[in-house]
Amino acid sequence: MARPSGAQRVIRTDMPSEIQTIAVIGAGEQGRVIALAALLGGYRTILEDVSENRLKRAVAWIAGGANVGAEARSRLVLASKIEDAVREADFIVEAVAEEMEMKIEMFTIFDKFAKPNAIFATSSPSLSIAELAAVTFCPERCIGLRFVPGKAKKLELVRTSQTSEETVARCREVGRRMGKEVIVVAEREFTESR
């Protein structure tokens, strides 16, 4: 799928590069793990899901975490609409079902409603990040973010040929604040090793 045609978005370069708010789209198992890591990393975290029950279960699971105190819980914000969740976020991670069409829809919404310079990430272990990035006006700010199963301290950043060094650096800092060992791999290497 190609990048949208039409007027080019104006990118402001005076925006701070520090990430303060992370939006996690999808409150299933992967989403709540990412939201918990973001909260423990000190980030304001917006957790979105269309299912109110899934959101409630995710909040209960997060609140039950051994390291989650009142201060961390106070940084958790819930949203039931993607548009509302992404408007304030500096870093957006989708953790929805492993279906390319759904993820393309997510990245299209991110591109339309996110603030300038926000990073778009997918937690997908197998789908093409380059294909997701291609539907946006900002492929340089698209990346894969994968918590390695069975290795709680590892975080893989999967970059495409268009992912910028600034995006990688900002994501490394997020991983560091989450207490993770960050590994950066190219998407080609990532898919070939799976």
Side-chain angles (χ1 to χ4, degrees):
M1 196 169 259
R3 184 184 304 184
S5 61
Q8 293 293 317
R9 176 186 288 188
V10 175
I11 303 296
R12 289 177 51 194
T13 57
D14 61 338
M15 300 290 288
S17 63
E18 182 183 349
I19 292 170
Q20 297 176 354
T21 301
I22 295 177
V24 181
I25 308 305
E29 186 176 335
Q30 182 73 11
R32 67 186 185 200
V33 167
I34 296 168
L36 175 60
L39 288 168
L40 294 177
Y43 293 102
R44 178 173 179 261
T45 304
I46 303 169
L47 182 59
E48 184 278 339
D49 201 290
V50 293
S51 167
E52 189 176 327
N53 285 336
R54 201 173 305 133
L55 273 175
K56 286 179 182 176
R57 287 193 306 269
V59 169
W61 183 86
I62 289 168
N67 301 328
V68 185
E71 198 230 334
R73 285 194 306 273
S74 73
R75 289 192 301 274
L76 181 63
V77 177
L78 302 180
S80 60
K81 291 184 179 176
I82 297 168
E83 297 86 348
D84 295 338
V86 303
R87 276 189 178 101
E88 299 176 45
D90 306 300
F91 187 86
I92 304 161
V93 185
E94 68 76 17
V96 299
E98 191 71 355
E99 297 171 8
M100 182 55 96
E101 290 302 316
M102 185 180 294
K103 290 180 186 288
I104 284 173
E105 182 180 349
M106 296 295 104
F107 270 62
T108 302
I109 292 169
F110 300 168
D111 199 49
K112 184 174 181 180
F113 292 98
K115 64 186 186 179
N117 293 344
I119 292 172
F120 305 163
T122 178
S123 64
S124 175
S126 60
L127 298 176
S128 169
I129 299 156
E131 192 173 335
L132 293 172
V135 302
T136 74
F137 283 109
C138 57
E140 72 283 356
R141 289 187 279 115
C142 297
I143 196 163
L145 178 110
R146 184 168 181 264
F147 289 75
V148 183
K151 298 178 181 174
K153 289 290 183 184
K154 294 207 179 211
L155 175 67
E156 288 180 332
L157 299 177
V158 186
R159 67 181 304 166
T160 71
S161 61
Q162 292 186 290
T163 306
S164 72
E165 290 301 326
E166 180 186 356
T167 296
V168 173
R170 292 171 72 194
C171 292
R172 273 187 191 277
E173 175 60 16
V174 168
R176 185 196 67 73
R177 280 184 53 181
M178 289 178 173
K180 306 295 182 187
E181 176 191 341
V182 178
I183 303 160
V184 180
V185 297
E187 183 169 33
R188 183 176 37 81
E189 297 165 359
F190 177 78
T191 53
E192 287 172 359
S193 69
R194 298 297 178 258

